[in-house]
Each structure stands twice: as structure tokens, then as C-alpha cells.
Amino acid sequence: MRGGNLVLILILILLVFFWLRRRARLGRPVFMPRLGRRPRRVTVAVQGARREAEVYASGATAGAPLLLCFHGGLGQIERFARGSGLSSRGPARGYVVAFPSAPTGWVDGRPELGESTQDLDFVEVLIEKLAVDLRIDTSRVFAIGVSNGGMFVERLAAERPALLAGGAAIIASVPARMARSVAEAPPLPFALICDRNDQIMPWHGGQIMRGQNRGYGGEVIPVEDVLELWVHRNRAVATGAPVRVAGPEGHFVDIQDFSAQPGGAPLRFAAVTGEGHRWPRWPAYRGTTGFDAGEVALDFFAHAVGPSVGARQRDASRSARA
């Protein structure tokens, strides 16, 4: 009996070892420690409701750009902040980073979620409050969203584009009903990062998977059509062939940049072959090149609007001290 228990313990140890090794190779956090920097909780009133966001900043905030990070439909702020790394990467680049909360998910343009504009108004009021409290630069507000949050960024870019200097939708498509309004809005620097193996948000369009713990469903257009409507909207043209970034265990991503024609805006498209409906990331490992969707989006924002926002923030801080 003791021998059998010992074999079972050894098997469990091996299973844990291989699980930890695989997570490390794919850049997944092995443990989930609490975030080192405590966020500032911000509360605003919108259409008679109380809405909240958690805000991270490093150093001076006056004149800093703002990065809005929208969680998925079933996500939580703290988990998204940890899993994406944006709570640390954003401040390190000079951003004030805000994680707005939508406990029941974002109203992203799918008919299944209704017509409410409260989420859009929430974003506008939140920006106004941070402009007063932290003196952020309202001309440099960027948005990154994942899944349902990514589709909400698409809606934001369609219905309130003047609020944003750039946006990124990650493992997200465009609801069929929103396609025309997204396409017809003014040009806006934008990054699309989608996974070919996404089992929730279908690459070829159609119905989003729904059911217990799967969200509300709804129809989205194919990723190729999303890219086409953004190319048209931004009056953008491809700048050379896609660049392939190889990752571990058959993971790779093809990154294509598009430059703006007169009156347009740049565009970045990243087609990932990875694990499906998860934040796309992996570390450099045994000759492979590291990849992180957040870094790709932040790099794009820095190039799309000129000098690095982090560099400009540092320059502003130096000027203030001089």
C-alpha cells in the first residue's frame, strides 16, 4: 500500500513539473501573486449608476497619456491586469493606466446586449475625471480591449472616436450589426490582434460560442473582413510582407503594418496561431522570439502618434524640474 502511494505521489509531482514547465514556456504566470503597486480606485456617476475603475500610475501624471484597458465579458479587473501585464507595462512607458469595470460585460454593439450607451458615457466621464484629478493629456487617450472588451473598443472607435488617439482589439471581432458604423467612422490608428485557433470568437465569422460561462453569443464578421473595413476606413496600404514571429510548440504570429495615405491613419494586424481565446503571449525560449499582445499594441501606439509617449513624458518631467 505504501509503495502504491509513493508511485501516486511521484506521478503527481511529474504532472505538476510538466505543467509548470509548459506554462513557463508559453509565458503564462506560474503563480498569481498580488500586484505590487496598489491601484487607485476611481468612482463616477453615470446615468444614475455608480461605475468604478482602478488606476495605476508611476511618477508624475500631469500631461501623461491615458491607457484604458477593457476586460473580457466574464473577466475581472485584477485578473486582467495581472494576465495582460498592462498594469506594469503601461506605467513603465509613462502612461496612466485605467481598468474600467463592467461587472455584467460591455455593451459592445451586439443586439443580444441591447442599445444602452451607459458604457460609452462611462468612458467619457472617466476621462473627464482623470483630466481633473490627475491632469492627464486628453489628446492622448488610447484603448486596449480583450474579447468582449475588444469589441467594445471597436464600438467606442465607431461611436465616440473623438475620445481616442488610438485603439487595439485583441482576440475580438466586429459584431455584424456594427460593421457599417465601424467602417464609416473617421480614420483612427488601430491594432487588430486575432488568433486563427480562437474557439470562442470564430476567425471565419459566424456565431460566438455561448452557454454556461461562455457569454451571450451573437454574430461577428470574419477577421479578414474586419481587416478590410479598417484598411478602407484608415485609407491605409500595406508596407511590405508580413513579418513572422516564431514561438514555442508551433505557435507563431504574422504581423502586417499598414501606412496611412493622405488624411488616413496607420493600422497594424497580427494574425496569431496559438492557444485560441487567450491573451496572446509567450517568452523568448530556446531560439524563439518572444511575443506579447500588449507590447505589440503599445509599440504601435508609440509609432502611430510620433515619439514614444514614455519618452515625451520623461521630457516633460525634466522640463518641469528645470
Side-chain angles (χ1 to χ4, degrees), residues 186-189 230-237 258-267 304:
L188 179 73
W230 270 102
V231 168
H232 172 76
R233 169 178 173 168
N234 280 8
R235 301 171 198 147
V237 294
F258 298 79
S259 62
Q261 297 300 288
L267 178 68

Side-chain angles (χ1 to χ4, degrees), residues 209-320:
M209 184 181 291
R210 65 179 301 171
Q212 186 176 9
N213 298 326
R214 293 294 188 185
Y216 293 92
E219 184 183 358
V220 293
I221 65 176
V223 170
E224 290 91 342
D225 291 352
V226 177
L227 175 60
E228 183 177 345
L229 69 82
W230 270 102
V231 168
H232 172 76
R233 169 178 173 168
N234 280 8
R235 301 171 198 147
V237 294
T239 56
V243 175
R244 174 160 293 189
V245 177
E249 300 180 7
H251 292 56
F252 61 90
V253 56
D254 296 314
I255 302 176
Q256 176 74 71
D257 282 318
F258 298 79
S259 62
Q261 297 300 288
L267 178 68
R268 172 168 288 179
F269 176 64
V272 182
T273 297
E275 291 189 273
H277 201 70
R278 301 185 66 169
W279 185 266
R281 70 187 304 185
W282 58 74
Y285 184 83
R286 292 185 182 178
T288 64
T289 303
F291 176 80
D292 185 281
E295 290 286 358
V296 169
L298 292 174
D299 285 343
F300 170 73
F301 294 157
H303 288 92
V305 299
S308 166
V309 290
R312 288 194 289 191
Q313 175 65 6
R314 288 192 295 271
D315 292 342
S317 297
R318 292 193 190 102
S319 299

Side-chain angles (χ1 to χ4, degrees), residues 13-275:
I13 291 173
L14 285 172
L15 289 174
V16 171
F17 169 76
F18 286 116
W19 178 77
L20 293 175
R21 187 175 72 168
R22 186 170 188 275
R23 287 187 71 81
R25 291 178 64 182
L26 294 177
R28 309 297 178 199
V30 174
F31 301 105
M32 299 297 280
R34 294 190 63 83
L35 297 166
R37 181 181 296 275
R38 293 184 65 83
R40 175 196 304 239
R41 186 170 293 274
V42 175
T43 302
V44 296
V46 183
Q47 296 184 17
R50 181 185 178 193
R51 302 295 298 267
E52 295 183 340
E54 291 188 353
V55 179
Y56 295 81
S58 178
T61 60
L66 174 65
L67 180 66
L68 298 168
C69 303
F70 297 94
H71 61 72
L74 301 176
Q76 298 176 343
I77 290 178
E78 189 172 327
R79 183 176 180 181
F80 178 41
R82 284 196 306 257
S84 67
L86 293 171
S87 60
S88 57
R89 290 186 175 90
R93 288 174 175 250
Y95 288 95
V96 169
V97 182
F99 290 83
S101 175
T104 60
W106 301 100
V107 179
D108 57 22
R110 285 176 284 174
E112 291 80 1
L113 298 178
E115 304 283 347
S116 173
T117 63
Q118 187 185 103
D119 289 340
L120 299 170
D121 294 340
F122 172 33
V123 173
E124 191 160 357
V125 173
L126 178 62
I127 293 171
E128 292 171 354
K129 181 171 180 58
L130 294 178
V132 173
D133 293 353
L134 301 181
R135 294 189 292 165
I136 56 103
D137 182 354
T138 57
S139 70
R140 291 188 291 153
V141 177
F142 301 86
I144 295 178
V146 61
S147 190
N148 164 233
M151 291 195 291
F152 178 67
V153 171
E154 299 266 14
R155 184 187 181 195
L156 193 62
E159 299 185 18
R160 307 283 173 94
L163 295 177
L164 301 178
I170 298 173
I171 55 171
S173 186
V174 171
R177 192 182 67 176
M178 286 291 297
R180 183 172 179 178
S181 58
V182 171
E184 293 180 350
L188 179 73
F190 210 84
L192 301 162
I193 304 176
C194 304
D195 196 302
R196 296 182 178 96
N197 298 330
D198 197 326
Q199 69 277 21
I200 304 296
M201 198 78 57
W203 177 273
H204 298 294
Q207 291 295 316
I208 299 173
M209 184 181 291
R210 65 179 301 171
Q212 186 176 9
N213 298 326
R214 293 294 188 185
Y216 293 92
E219 184 183 358
V220 293
I221 65 176
V223 170
E224 290 91 342
D225 291 352
V226 177
L227 175 60
E228 183 177 345
L229 69 82
W230 270 102
V231 168
H232 172 76
R233 169 178 173 168
N234 280 8
R235 301 171 198 147
V237 294
T239 56
V243 175
R244 174 160 293 189
V245 177
E249 300 180 7
H251 292 56
F252 61 90
V253 56
D254 296 314
I255 302 176
Q256 176 74 71
D257 282 318
F258 298 79
S259 62
Q261 297 300 288
L267 178 68
R268 172 168 288 179
F269 176 64
V272 182
T273 297
E275 291 189 273

